[in-house]
Amino acid sequence: MELRSYLRSRGALVNGYLQVRLGVGSISPVDKAMMYSVAAGGKRLRPILLMAAADAVGAKGSDFVAVAAGLEMIHTYSLIHDDLPSMDNDDYRRGRLTNHKVFGDAMALLAGDGLLTQAFEVMLEQRGVDPKVLLEVVRLVAKCAGPTGMVGGQALDITSEDQQLTLEQMKKLHEAKTGAMFVAAVRGGAMLGGADPETLRIMTHFANLFGLAFQITDDILDVEGDAKVMGKPAHSDEKLHKSTYVSLFGLEKAREMAAQTLKEAEETLAPLGEKAQPLVEITRYLYNRKK
């Protein structure tokens, strides 16, 4: 499988769905602000992971584009709110001005709210899935996005500024802030694809490892990444005095940790055989991630 082709085709599916779905029945300027950030691009990693996970358990991942699109809406809302002056106060995201710089703080806040709430409407439009399974997947996404997942992790991140965290504290923070939505994507995709309990266990373990590796590489990029390539400022963690894998262990050790975690993630998928190859290739992509 050629990874670029896979990412491009699956990303195009999600983009097409979002383009058609968002803004339907618009009654206010908030829809324009919502589409501004959704249309800014991005890797579409979470929705692609959901579809790849469904592929890995023997289903057709592209059948689940509605749920995948909902995941991307939630991710985009989190970025809009993350960039606000009251949070990280960033001016650029995905190579363009952040939402609040274009539409103002209040409209950006509402754009994030709109994407989060409408995401659940969009996910529940998914066809061809047992309603009980779909409800369980949506419940999983809600839990991973909420106060015991991404939102809770973001709160820990804010309250941890100017503190030197232990490794355990940092793991707890990142498992929630970053890792939870990867679990939602991978476990959710496997559930939609009809995975048995043992396969779900494997996929959840893989998702946790993938999320950890993603965070470590994110910390590395914040130190040595090119802002023009990333489409956002570098050194933001240092500016906000946040504990990272780099600040805790140094750059070389962080690279070693990322490589070891990625190796473990890849090995976890071995029992699934060839069907998991897209997930394997996406995992390998993190080794040389630039943005």
Side-chain angles (χ1 to χ4, degrees), residues 7-162:
L7 294 176
R8 189 164 50 247
S9 63
R10 293 303 173 90
L13 272 178
V14 175
N15 290 340
Y17 196 92
L18 290 169
Q19 188 71 40
V20 171
R21 183 61 183 78
L22 291 186
V24 174
S26 174
I27 65 167
S28 79
V30 74
D31 294 275
K32 185 177 179 182
M34 290 163 62
M35 183 53 79
Y36 173 82
S37 290
V38 167
K43 297 178 287 294
R44 307 305 193 211
L45 186 55
R46 289 149 192 83
I48 290 172
L49 280 170
L50 180 140
M51 291 186 275
D55 288 332
V57 301
K60 186 179 178 184
S62 57
D63 286 344
F64 307 116
V65 67
V67 179
L71 277 185
E72 186 63 22
M73 292 169 72
I74 293 172
H75 177 58
T76 304
Y77 120 76
S78 73
L79 300 182
I80 294 172
H81 282 193
D82 220 25
D83 292 334
L84 286 168
S86 58
M87 302 279 269
D88 288 351
N89 195 23
D90 282 326
D91 294 343
Y92 290 92
R93 170 75 67 174
R94 293 173 171 171
R96 64 200 302 194
L97 285 170
T98 47
N99 199 290
H100 69 275
K101 284 292 179 180
V102 177
F103 298 95
D105 294 2
M107 193 61 71
L109 187 66
L110 290 170
D113 293 344
L115 285 166
L116 172 61
T117 50
Q118 194 174 36
F120 291 97
E121 178 186 350
V122 168
M123 286 188 286
L124 288 170
E125 292 169 355
Q126 177 66 54
R127 298 290 180 261
V129 178
D130 182 328
K132 290 182 180 178
V133 172
L134 182 58
L135 284 174
E136 280 302 304
V137 171
V138 172
R139 180 178 180 274
L140 169 69
V141 173
K143 184 175 178 63
C144 289
T148 57
M150 182 176 65
V151 169
Q154 182 65 43
L156 286 174
D157 193 41
I158 291 170
T159 57
S160 298
E161 290 176 8
D162 297 314

Side-chain angles (χ1 to χ4, degrees), residues 205-285:
H205 184 49
F206 163 78
N208 283 319
L209 290 167
F210 186 96
L212 173 59
F214 186 92
Q215 184 60 55
I216 298 171
T217 58
D218 208 52
D219 289 351
I220 293 169
L221 279 175
D222 190 68
V223 173
E224 62 178 15
D226 185 335
K228 291 181 180 178
V229 175
M230 295 190 295
K232 62 180 182 179
H235 305 288
S236 59
D237 291 332
E238 183 181 354
K239 179 181 70 176
L240 294 169
H241 305 109
K242 293 183 179 182
S243 292
T244 70
Y245 285 91
V246 174
S247 70
L248 221 58
F249 298 103
L251 202 52
E252 284 308 311
K253 179 63 176 177
R255 287 197 189 102
E256 290 174 15
M257 293 173 72
Q260 181 58 36
T261 306
L262 288 167
K263 182 182 177 184
E264 289 178 30
E266 189 174 331
E267 290 171 349
T268 298
L269 295 171
L272 302 181
E274 190 64 28
K275 293 191 298 293
Q277 194 59 29
L279 284 179
V280 170
E281 294 296 331
I282 293 168
T283 303
R284 289 174 180 170
Y285 148 82

